[in-house]
Amino acid sequence: MLKVSEILRVKGDVLYTISPDDSVENAIKTMSEHDIGSVVVIEHGELAGMLTFREIIRHIDSKKEQFAHSTVRSIMDSFPVSVTPNTELAEVQRLMLEQHARYVPVLDGPTLLGIISFYDMARALIDLEQFENNMLKAYIRHWPDDKEDT
C-alpha cells in the first residue's frame, strides 16, 4: 500500500512557513505569491499550526474591518490533523474526509517533513492506478501461450 513518505518523495521538500506572530496580510501575500492554499505555522522550530484560505475567509467574514492587521496566531488552526511518513494512503484519505482537511502536515516526531494536500492525494492515486494499469497490460501482453508448452 502507498505511504505518505512516497508521496513526499515525489512531491519534493519545498515548504512555506510563517510565524504565528506574523500578520495575516503577510500570510496572504506569501500564499498569493507562491500560489499555495496553506502555510505552515512554525514556532520555536516546531509545528504550531496551519493557516489555510479557509481560516482566512472565516476571519474576513467575522472581522470585516482591519482583518489584515490581525496575527496569524489569532486565526490559525492550532491543532491540525497530522500524519507520519509511514501512514498509509487510505488512512490519510479517511482523516482528510473526516476532518474536512485539505492540507495535512507530515511529522516525524516533532520534525515537520512536509505537507500533503488533497491535490497530492488525488495525484498519487491516479499515478498508482496508471502504474497498476501498465503492469497489467504488460502481463497480459506476455501471457504464456499454451501452444509453446506442447
Side-chain angles (χ1 to χ4, degrees):
M1 186 58 159
L2 197 60
K3 295 195 178 199
V4 167
S5 57
E6 296 167 53
I7 297 172
L8 285 178
R9 188 173 39 251
V10 171
K11 180 182 178 176
D13 57 3
V14 176
L15 278 174
Y16 296 99
T17 64
I18 198 161
S19 161
D21 298 316
D22 277 334
S23 70
V24 172
E25 180 178 30
N26 190 31
I28 292 170
K29 199 176 293 183
T30 299
M31 293 165 77
S32 177
E33 286 172 1
H34 299 288
D35 192 27
I36 54 175
S38 70
V39 287
V40 182
V41 184
I42 299 290
E43 186 170 41
H44 307 297
E46 293 187 359
L47 176 71
M50 288 285 296
L51 182 67
T52 70
F53 276 126
R54 177 181 286 160
E55 286 83 26
I56 292 170
I57 296 301
R58 286 181 180 155
H59 182 67
I60 290 170
D61 190 43
S62 68
K63 307 218 179 201
K64 291 183 177 39
E65 65 283 335
Q66 299 198 3
F67 75 91
H69 301 292
S70 300
T71 62
V72 168
R73 183 185 309 277
S74 69
I75 67 171
M76 71 183 190
D77 179 357
S78 298
F79 303 101
V81 61
S82 64
V83 297
T84 71
N86 293 321
T87 306
E88 291 188 0
L89 198 64
E91 176 65 5
V92 179
Q93 287 176 302
R94 186 190 67 74
L95 286 169
M96 289 179 116
L97 291 171
E98 208 173 77
Q99 301 293 321
H100 298 275
R102 291 183 185 109
Y103 307 93
V104 177
V106 180
L107 299 171
D108 186 9
T111 305
L112 178 67
L113 300 178
I115 298 293
I116 298 291
S117 70
F118 212 75
Y119 173 85
D120 298 329
M121 292 292 295
R123 177 88 260 153
L125 288 170
I126 288 170
D127 290 348
L128 179 61
E129 187 177 279
Q130 185 64 47
F131 173 76
E132 289 173 349
N133 190 349
N134 290 341
M135 294 299 288
L136 285 171
K137 285 178 181 176
Y139 179 75
I140 290 169
R141 264 195 302 270
H142 297 97
W143 189 270
D145 188 5
D146 289 338
K147 294 177 187 172
E148 291 177 12
D149 294 337
T150 59

